[in-house]
Amino acid sequence: MKKLFLFFLLFATVATERSFAGDVITVCGQNVQNFFYSLDRSRTKNNYVTISNYSTAQGRQAKAEAIINALSPYKADIYAFNEVEAMAEGADAEALDILATLMSSATGVTYKVVKDGMTYNLSEDATGTIKSGFIYRADKVEPIGQSVSTAYGYTTIYPFMMRLQTFRSRASGEQFSLSMNHFKASTSGDMTADMVKREQNAVALLKGLNQATDPDILVMGDLNSEMGEQCLNNLVDAGYEEQILKRDATAFSYYYDHGELIDHVFANSTMAAQITDARILYIANPTSTGSRYRAYSDHDPYLVTLNLEAQPTAGYKYAKATEVSTGVPYLIVAPISGLNVAKPVAIDKSYEYQYTNTVTENDGVIKMSDPKSAVVFEDAGEGNYYIKDYYGRYYYSNYFSNTNSYGHNTNVGYRSAAQAFSVTKQDDTFKILNKTSNYFLIGLTYYGTPEFAWYNYASLSSTQHLPWLYQYTPATSPTAVMTVIDDSPAVTVRKTMENGRIVIVRSDGRRYSLQGIEIMNDK
């Protein structure tokens, strides 16, 4: 299932060493498995993690110290957490305050909490509410603007779990946007329903990222899915590249029957060009390299190293296509009023005539400042295609039974709503035909506005146009060598393949299975 697609990657892979200072920022992320501040908990969730009895002050303190002991040696500039308790209304502290205080004490530098205003009423919710949140090293970075939800369209639960914060380096003033997320877990008993919910999480996230105040975007978190699942395909097709698997194809972050990588680090093209390392910290939490019964979480932490002085320029080039390929981004273009590119349906709508942006073509190439107008064609069988927009929404036509006709709007919805389209070359244009409605896409002016809409005309007038398709063309640049000063502990575990299975080997020579069981050498 671990497929990597690099359709939007604009820059060559960056090699890493350890001597270039630059503007180095480190980000550590982890799901800390229900770390609560409140003491009046009525439930416990050991889930084979024995120190996680958080119903007492002693249990809370033991878990907090385990987290700090594991993560403080990395002295990260930002720690991003899943499953920390939101602040109870009326309380003067929260779980993140405890972690920031203990991290400051352990490292000798000051950590502060990104306050997000996410609270709950303990008397009404006896189990409390978990969230995603950030603490940061105050001498190295500072938050810019407010922490906001990326759970576009959600009003409960996920706004707590899907957060976005822009950070600025105090050394250089460079900024980046960091989104920490927690997608739906496979806990309902209906795996298909859970995957659909994660697809919806991804669509909401891509919409919510429109709020980012800096174009360099880092997406992290417990996404509860491996590569190849629909929710992650949506991120990849929108131009986000998985950074951990880019460097270690066998990485895993979660123990449950077998090792899985369900905690991910994704970056858009300009952010990816500034990442010099991304790795799982297997030694930090005993769930991977020792007894899982001594672990403070069932997830391993991960560390991302950034060099914010590597300043790529955002730009997306598209050249006129002569054929259609699956999995490649395309612009839909027509000479309606000048040269017009179809925009996606507005994020707060499920249908509309597709409005346009006016663009210019130079030497057969259209340049765009972002990839949000592009669509991807997916194989629908029998030579047909599904069409997916930047936000992960699929094209279809809505059938109006009362008129026995189809609308001229472009409808967009989740994968289950997708309809098949044929895409047929017509000289240098393409006829994009909905196989359900038998309507095809044309560019035209409607009440003076250049738009794209669906019709079944026998012939077109001089002001109606079949579209051209312009295919994304990745830019290339020489492979750069960036070297980084990093005071993080050196990696002291490695993975090897023995007799067809992955084995974790510690620096002391002790060997473990993916399940955390020590493998004894035969004497």
Side-chain angles (χ1 to χ4, degrees):
M1 293 176 62
K2 294 180 178 177
K3 299 186 294 182
L4 289 177
F5 305 90
L6 307 179
F7 303 137
F8 281 92
L9 182 61
L10 300 184
F11 299 91
T13 300
V14 177
T16 62
E17 296 175 4
R18 286 182 176 261
S19 61
F20 177 77
D23 188 12
V24 177
I25 298 295
T26 53
V27 183
C28 183
Q30 187 176 22
N31 180 328
V32 288
Q33 195 183 8
N34 293 292
F35 176 62
F36 289 92
Y37 172 81
S38 301
L39 297 183
D40 48 351
R41 323 301 321 161
S42 60
R43 62 174 185 164
T44 60
K45 183 180 179 182
N46 291 329
N47 193 18
Y48 65 71
V49 182
T50 58
I51 68 171
S52 293
N53 185 337
Y54 45 74
S55 61
T56 67
Q58 182 180 6
R60 181 189 73 175
Q61 188 67 22
K63 179 154 182 155
E65 290 177 355
I67 294 170
I68 298 303
N69 289 340
L71 300 184
S72 61
Y74 298 93
K75 215 169 187 177
D77 301 310
I78 302 166
Y79 288 93
F81 297 108
N82 297 129
E83 294 195 13
V84 292
E85 184 188 22
M87 181 179 285
E89 292 180 2
D92 57 1
E94 60 174 319
L96 288 175
D97 289 307
I98 291 180
L99 295 177
T101 298
L102 292 177
M103 189 67 73
S104 299
S105 177
T107 61
V109 295
T110 300
Y111 283 86
K112 294 184 177 180
V113 176
V114 173
K115 295 298 183 180
D116 52 31
M118 304 303 291
T119 63
Y120 71 98
N121 188 321
L122 183 62
S123 65
E124 296 178 359
D125 183 357
T127 60
T129 302
I130 58 173
K131 69 174 183 178
S132 299
F134 311 95
I135 66 174
Y136 63 95
R137 183 172 162 172
D139 64 322
K140 290 287 295 295
V141 298
E142 60 181 338
I144 300 300
Q146 300 298 311
S147 170
V148 297
S149 166
T150 52
Y152 189 93
Y154 287 100
T155 57
T156 60
I157 302 176
Y158 288 108
F160 281 76
M161 300 182 182
M162 299 168 62
R163 307 299 300 176
L164 173 67
Q165 178 66 57
T166 295
F167 288 93
R168 178 165 61 200
S169 165
R170 289 187 176 275
S172 67
E174 296 296 336
Q175 301 180 18
F176 69 100
S177 295
L178 173 61
S179 180
M180 187 62 167
N181 302 275
H182 194 182
F183 285 3
K184 176 69 174 70
S186 295
T187 54
S188 71
D190 185 338
M191 292 188 65
T192 299
D194 290 336
M195 285 193 289
V196 169
K197 178 60 72 174
R198 288 192 289 273
E199 176 193 359
Q200 295 169 359
N201 291 155
V203 171
L205 172 62
L206 288 168
K207 293 177 180 179
L209 290 174
N210 283 336
Q211 303 168 94
T213 57
D214 190 273
D216 304 330
I217 301 176
L218 187 64
V219 173
M220 306 194 323
D222 176 8
L223 306 186
N224 275 306
S225 52
E226 294 186 280
M227 297 302 293
E229 190 175 312
Q230 180 70 40
C231 62
L232 301 190
N233 288 346
N234 286 349
L235 295 179
V236 171
D237 287 342
Y240 289 83
E241 181 189 17
E242 216 290 343
Q243 298 298 304
I244 295 173
L245 290 174
K246 178 179 179 179
R247 294 162 173 83
D248 181 358
T250 63
F252 64 94
S253 63
Y254 177 70
Y255 171 78
Y256 188 82
D257 294 334
H258 61 284
E260 300 172 321
L261 187 71
I262 62 173
D263 299 87
H264 293 278
V265 175
F266 282 91
N268 66 356
S269 60
T270 55
M271 187 78 263
Q274 300 173 77
I275 294 177
T276 60
D277 192 24
R279 54 189 164 100
I280 302 296
L281 302 176
Y282 296 106
I283 61 170
N285 182 23
T287 187
S288 293
T289 58
S291 171
R292 63 184 183 273
Y293 297 102
R294 292 187 293 106
Y296 61 83
S297 173
D298 52 355
H299 292 253
D300 284 318
Y302 43 94
L303 186 70
V304 185
T305 304
L306 313 177
N307 173 30
L308 297 183
E309 289 188 348
Q311 285 300 303
T313 300
Y316 301 83
K317 298 196 303 183
Y318 302 83
K320 186 174 287 187
T322 58
E323 60 183 7
V324 171
S325 299
T326 57
V328 181
Y330 291 87
L331 299 179
I332 297 173
V333 181
I336 307 168
S337 177
L339 192 63
N340 301 94
V341 171
K343 295 167 59 176
V345 172
I347 61 173
D348 59 346
K349 295 183 177 180
S350 60
Y351 66 92
E352 66 179 352
Y353 283 21
Q354 285 186 263
Y355 298 109
T356 68
N357 283 322
T358 301
V359 296
T360 57
E361 178 190 274
N362 293 300
D363 298 325
V365 172
I366 295 174
K367 294 183 179 180
M368 304 290 287
S369 61
D370 64 57
K372 295 178 182 178
S373 293
V375 299
V376 171
F377 295 92
E378 294 182 357
D379 184 9
E382 300 180 349
N384 298 316
Y385 302 91
Y386 300 121
I387 304 175
K388 183 171 70 172
D389 73 6
Y390 170 86
Y391 298 102
R393 303 172 301 177
Y394 287 83
Y395 282 20
Y396 70 98
S397 287
N398 193 25
Y399 179 70
F400 298 102
S401 59
N402 59 327
T403 61
N404 198 32
S405 65
Y406 287 83
H408 303 300
N409 294 289
T410 297
N411 291 79
V412 289
Y414 299 118
R415 175 66 176 77
S416 58
Q419 293 175 345
F421 296 79
S422 64
V423 183
T424 308
K425 190 79 164 56
Q426 309 276 317
D427 295 325
D428 64 342
T429 61
F430 289 85
K431 186 174 184 179
I432 303 175
L433 175 70
N434 184 303
K435 301 291 287 186
T436 303
S437 67
N438 284 320
Y439 277 41
F440 57 91
L441 188 64
I442 65 171
L444 73 165
T445 299
Y446 187 73
Y447 285 101
T449 301
E451 302 173 341
F452 285 88
W454 300 86
Y455 290 90
N456 62 348
Y457 295 139
S459 60
L460 300 181
S461 71
S462 61
T463 60
Q464 298 168 337
H465 310 274
L466 290 177
W468 294 312
L469 294 177
Y470 281 69
Q471 180 177 324
Y472 173 72
T473 305
T476 58
S477 65
T479 299
V481 176
M482 292 182 184
T483 55
V484 177
I485 290 177
D486 186 356
D487 59 2
S488 301
V491 176
T492 59
V493 297
R494 60 187 176 88
K495 286 181 285 186
T496 65
M497 185 70 71
E498 297 181 9
N499 299 321
R501 65 176 178 174
I502 297 174
V503 174
I504 305 296
V505 183
R506 299 199 321 193
S507 57
D508 60 6
R510 297 174 68 177
R511 297 154 60 249
Y512 297 86
S513 70
L514 288 181
Q515 291 74 30
I517 300 172
E518 186 168 4
I519 301 170
M520 307 303 296
N521 294 321
D522 294 330
K523 297 291 186 179

